[in-house]
Amino acid sequence: MLHAGGPLGSILVGRFGCRAVVMLGGVLASLGMVAGAFCCTLGQLYLTAGFITGLGMCFSFQSSITVLGFYFTRWRVLANALASAGVSLGIMLWPLLSRYLLEDLGWRGSFLIFGGVLLHCCVCGAILRPVPASVTPETREGLPPPSKRPARGCPAAHGRAIQRHLALDVLRHNAGYRVYTLGVVWMVVGFPLPHVFLVPYAVWHGVDEHRAALLISLIGFSNIFLRPMAGLVAGRWDFASHRKYLFSLAALLNGLTNLVCAASADFRVLVGYCLVYSVSMSGIGALLFQVLMDIVPMDRFSSALGLFTLLESISILISPPLAGLLLDTTSNFSYVFYMSSFFLISAALFMGGSFWALGKMEGQGPQAEVQGAVTEAAPEQGLTVEDTDGAKKRLRVEIMNVTSV
């Protein structure tokens, strides 16, 4: 639900803005966890802690990602990396906090505490600053346009509205978006598996349960520092046109690292695996949404993100059960990590090769002329070019910023 609610979240962002949707998400997420504390059946937990809380998290998460694109231009990559460092902090603290609360308060009391923690999303949403009305029209071009109700009884208008909200037109006309979405959806089948199976894998090989839980915290702790560093590197002007290749390289390294984990379950080897895994994970986390911002114009980013996360949710839903079925069949955890490596490596090769082919096809087109013009203008006029692939859509915005100052 954290990803499947993306299209609905994009519609709400376009209608009410990011601040209101983040606060709504905080209320829903908290309500679902508190209601879950009083559940008596597994089905009730699916509805409360699963559906309601997941949908609320989706609203808060997607709106927070979207608003970064409105706030930042030059430092957008670093902003995305710093924001995603909060995910790393949660990965580090959540297993430790969960175990402590579960031992002292039980699962019902833990759910109540979690509900209180998630309610703080409302505070985070309240301090999001709306885009001022004095911003030039060219700068506001990236904002989601207010939704327009199609005329009653007009199927064509309804169809256009659905296509716009679901970004089906972007999927149809933007080859880069198709490649990236397909590659990430394939990659995500393997990406979450180490987070799910690393601790059971270590315990199955005789590692103490508390020490095994520290492995996940180690990954989170490392990412707190590595993600901002990855953002600083990827945010450099000379890397701007290569971010999608850096993302593919990070996915490739992530897949290769899982092969090391499958080779040995010694605790020291697992610690080394977690450190190397954190490097590749930080690159994926820092660039995942930034590459999407580079590929899709900001005025369509919210709806494109909604479709992107919806398709991603399918992979996230089927990945752990599929790996669990493989584990039940083989009784060998190594095959789970081999499966993870296969999806990550194949997705990385597909994205890198496809982006290279698209670049060769478009290299002699009009966009290359625009890119060359912007690159030449940058040193002379003080323009900041983040991504030459997005030069056409950012040229007018950057010139307006310079002249207005």
Side-chain angles (χ1 to χ4, degrees), residues 133-157:
S134 59
V135 176
T136 60
E138 286 78 7
T139 307
R140 290 179 62 84
E141 185 178 348
L143 294 175
S147 61
K148 298 180 180 179
R149 293 184 178 179
R152 290 187 176 181
C154 183

Side-chain angles (χ1 to χ4, degrees), residues 284-324:
I284 293 175
L287 293 173
L288 178 63
F289 298 108
Q290 177 58 46
V291 173
L292 185 62
M293 292 179 182
D294 293 338
I295 294 174
V296 178
M298 276 308 300
D299 62 329
R300 301 307 315 280
F301 176 75
S302 179
S303 56
L305 177 62
L307 178 61
F308 180 80
T309 56
L310 175 63
L311 296 176
E312 197 179 9
S313 71
I314 300 174
S315 299
I316 294 175
L317 182 65
I318 67 174
S319 173
L322 185 63

Side-chain angles (χ1 to χ4, degrees), residues 44 92 95 99 103-104 106 121 140 175 180 202 222 224 253 257 288 333 353 375 400:
Q44 293 172 351
M92 181 186 71
R99 179 174 296 278
E103 292 175 352
D104 281 19
C121 291
R140 290 179 62 84
Y180 189 60
S222 303
I224 294 175
L253 177 60
T257 305
L288 178 63
F333 275 93
T375 305
M400 281 302 303

Side-chain angles (χ1 to χ4, degrees), residues 16-325:
F16 301 105
C18 293
R19 170 188 277 185
V21 178
V22 170
M23 297 177 70
L24 173 63
V27 172
L28 285 177
S30 176
L31 180 64
M33 292 303 294
V34 172
F38 300 95
C39 290
C40 299
T41 65
L42 187 60
Q44 293 172 351
L45 280 175
Y46 281 142
L47 176 62
T48 55
F51 181 83
I52 298 177
T53 295
L55 188 63
M57 289 180 173
C58 174
F59 290 166
S60 295
F61 171 72
Q62 180 171 319
S63 303
S64 302
I65 293 297
T66 303
V67 81
L68 287 176
F70 302 159
Y71 286 167
F72 298 95
T73 301
R74 181 182 179 186
W75 300 105
R76 185 179 291 161
V77 185
L78 180 59
N80 273 299
L82 288 173
S84 65
V87 177
S88 306
L89 184 63
I91 292 174
M92 181 186 71
L93 295 178
W94 209 252
L96 305 177
L97 178 63
S98 299
R99 179 174 296 278
Y100 173 78
L101 292 176
L102 185 62
E103 292 175 352
D104 281 19
L105 301 177
W107 72 268
R108 295 185 186 273
S110 301
F111 271 38
L112 293 175
I113 298 296
F114 292 160
V117 172
L118 291 172
L119 193 60
H120 284 73
C121 291
C122 297
V123 180
C124 298
I127 62 176
L128 292 179
R129 180 177 298 178
V131 177
S134 59
V135 176
T136 60
E138 286 78 7
T139 307
R140 290 179 62 84
E141 185 178 348
L143 294 175
S147 61
K148 298 180 180 179
R149 293 184 178 179
R152 290 187 176 181
C154 183
H158 282 286
R160 286 193 298 269
I162 292 174
Q163 284 197 26
R164 181 171 181 84
H165 286 309
L166 294 181
L168 297 179
D169 53 338
V170 179
L171 185 66
R172 185 169 63 251
H173 298 297
N174 191 326
Y177 180 68
R178 289 197 300 271
V179 168
Y180 189 60
T181 301
L182 180 59
V184 171
V185 168
W186 185 258
M187 180 197 77
V188 167
V189 177
F191 181 67
L193 296 183
H195 300 268
V196 178
F197 290 96
L198 178 59
V199 173
Y201 173 64
V203 172
W204 191 63
H205 283 86
V207 179
D208 179 72
E209 187 174 350
H210 292 275
R211 297 180 72 192
L214 288 176
L215 294 172
I216 298 296
S217 296
L218 178 61
I219 293 175
F221 180 78
S222 303
N223 268 260
I224 294 175
F225 305 100
L226 290 174
R227 289 202 185 197
M229 292 174 60
L232 283 173
V233 173
R236 290 175 55 87
W237 182 81
D238 44 345
F239 283 114
S241 60
H242 304 292
R243 290 188 194 119
K244 49 185 174 288
Y245 300 110
L246 291 176
F247 179 83
S248 301
L249 181 61
L252 179 62
L253 177 60
N254 195 271
L256 294 174
T257 305
N258 290 333
L259 295 177
V260 177
C261 182
S264 175
D266 182 77
F267 183 73
R268 289 170 296 181
V269 175
L270 293 179
V271 169
Y273 158 77
C274 289
L275 293 175
V276 179
Y277 179 86
S278 297
V279 175
S280 58
M281 181 182 173
S282 65
I284 293 175
L287 293 173
L288 178 63
F289 298 108
Q290 177 58 46
V291 173
L292 185 62
M293 292 179 182
D294 293 338
I295 294 174
V296 178
M298 276 308 300
D299 62 329
R300 301 307 315 280
F301 176 75
S302 179
S303 56
L305 177 62
L307 178 61
F308 180 80
T309 56
L310 175 63
L311 296 176
E312 197 179 9
S313 71
I314 300 174
S315 299
I316 294 175
L317 182 65
I318 67 174
S319 173
L322 185 63
L325 178 62

Side-chain angles (χ1 to χ4, degrees), residues 136 138-139 373-374 377-378 381-384 391 394-405:
T136 60
E138 286 78 7
T139 307
V374 174
Q381 301 185 29
L383 302 182
T384 302
R394 290 199 182 101
L395 176 60
R396 184 171 55 175
V397 176
E398 295 296 338
I399 292 178
M400 281 302 303
N401 287 341
V402 172
T403 55
S404 63
V405 171

